[in-house]
Amino acid sequence: MVGRITFAWWKGTSLDSDCKRWRLYADIFNDLSFMVDLLAPFFKPHTLPIFCFSSLLRSIVGVAGGATRMALTQHQSIANNMADVSAKDGSQETLVNLAALICNLIIVHLVQDRQLSWILFFLFVLGHLYANYRAVKVVVMSSLNETRFRLLYDEYLAHHQIGSLDAINAAEPVLLPARRRLRITYRMTNEALSTTSWPALSVCSTTRTSASSLPAGTASSSFFATTRRSAFSSKRSSSSNTSKLR
């Protein structure tokens, strides 16, 4: 209980802007907690702290998994059908758990060797983590957090064009956290701002402030992005790709 409260206070605001990264972290911590439970019989004098650590991991999984599930469900409900998406997601999870239970009963009956059991465990864990990594990588978010904005800004500096939704989301890392704070002053042409597929920057093209010291057709704005909250929040376009996460 203390772990859930502490984690929610510490990382609660980043679960929304970095929902893809924390969704993957939740799966990693969940598999790690299972591995800790399996290793506990080998360290019997330290069983209590081992189970406490496992319980702490599960509390983090509960907070991070539940919060990111809601964020991704909201992203996928592009037709304002969040309840429908949530219900179908729950049905899909139930079906997957049922299939896993059947496979588990078959494997337990056939596999008796301890070494083979550990090999199968690690193979299934690697497969599970790889599948979830691929799942979060294909999610295309139309809002900007610090990492996506930095990639967008670097793309503009290098090629003088604003990267597309697909390209920036594909380049976004989901394993490494973003830097603590980012402050960028940028200059983008009005043409680039008006033709971008990013809803947040399209809004900026209509509210820009021109400076007399800048060349004609150039807009100047300042953006402040932190890992504690998203720099921008906007409606998702109907063309955004969606992905079901298990």
Side-chain angles (χ1 to χ4, degrees):
M1 296 176 63
V2 175
R4 291 174 63 92
I5 296 173
T6 304
F7 179 76
W9 166 78
W10 182 36
K11 289 295 184 180
T13 53
S14 66
L15 296 177
D16 187 49
S17 59
D18 290 327
C19 60
K20 292 193 287 185
R21 178 165 59 91
W22 280 108
R23 182 64 186 178
L24 182 61
Y25 281 5
D27 293 314
I28 294 175
F29 290 158
N30 188 47
D31 291 342
L32 182 59
S33 67
F34 287 135
M35 187 179 69
V36 170
D37 288 340
L38 293 175
L39 290 174
F42 298 99
F43 304 93
K44 291 184 178 180
H46 308 287
T47 301
L48 180 60
I50 288 175
F51 282 127
C52 289
F53 178 67
S54 176
S55 177
L56 177 62
L57 291 176
R58 286 193 175 87
S59 66
I60 295 175
V61 172
V63 176
T68 54
R69 177 188 293 272
M70 294 301 299
L72 291 170
T73 300
Q74 184 180 14
H75 164 73
Q76 293 165 347
S77 57
I78 57 179
N80 293 326
N81 57 339
M82 185 172 179
D84 181 34
V85 174
S86 180
K88 291 178 179 178
D89 180 66
S91 299
Q92 176 181 276
E93 184 177 3
T94 302
L95 180 61
V96 171
N97 289 335
L98 179 61
L101 177 61
I102 296 174
C103 294
N104 182 40
L105 294 176
I106 296 174
I107 292 175
V108 169
H109 178 71
L110 296 178
V111 178
Q112 301 296 331
D113 183 66
R114 177 178 294 183
Q115 185 175 1
L116 181 58
S117 299
W118 278 105
I119 294 175
L120 290 175
F121 172 76
F122 283 111
L123 287 177
F124 288 145
V125 166
L126 291 177
H128 172 247
L129 294 181
Y130 177 75
N132 280 278
Y133 173 80
R134 297 296 301 172
V136 296
K137 285 294 290 183
V138 300
V139 175
V140 178
M141 306 292 291
S142 58
S143 60
L144 287 174
N145 61 5
E146 180 179 355
T147 304
R148 289 192 289 272
F149 181 75
R150 185 187 298 112
L151 293 171
L152 194 78
Y153 183 70
D154 292 341
E155 174 73 13
Y156 183 80
L157 289 181
H159 303 100
H160 298 285
Q161 64 181 5
I162 299 177
S164 64
L165 287 169
D166 293 337
I168 297 300
N169 277 272
E172 179 186 7
V174 294
L175 284 175
L176 299 178
R179 290 182 298 181
R180 177 61 59 181
R181 187 172 180 84
L182 173 70
R183 177 171 178 170
I184 291 179
T185 300
Y186 82 96
R187 296 179 181 181
M188 293 182 179
T189 62
N190 296 344
E191 180 182 1
L193 286 172
S194 61
T195 59
T196 178
S197 58
W198 291 87
L201 294 184
S202 298
V203 173
C204 293
S205 66
T206 63
T207 60
R208 56 186 176 272
T209 303
S210 300
S212 58
S213 59
L214 300 179
T218 302
S220 176
S221 300
S222 297
F223 287 87
F224 303 90
T226 68
T227 56
R228 296 181 62 82
R229 63 184 62 188
S230 175
F232 297 99
S233 177
S234 61
K235 280 191 175 182
R236 298 164 303 281
S237 61
S238 59
S239 61
S240 298
N241 295 335
T242 61
S243 171
K244 297 301 294 179
L245 297 182
R246 296 173 176 83

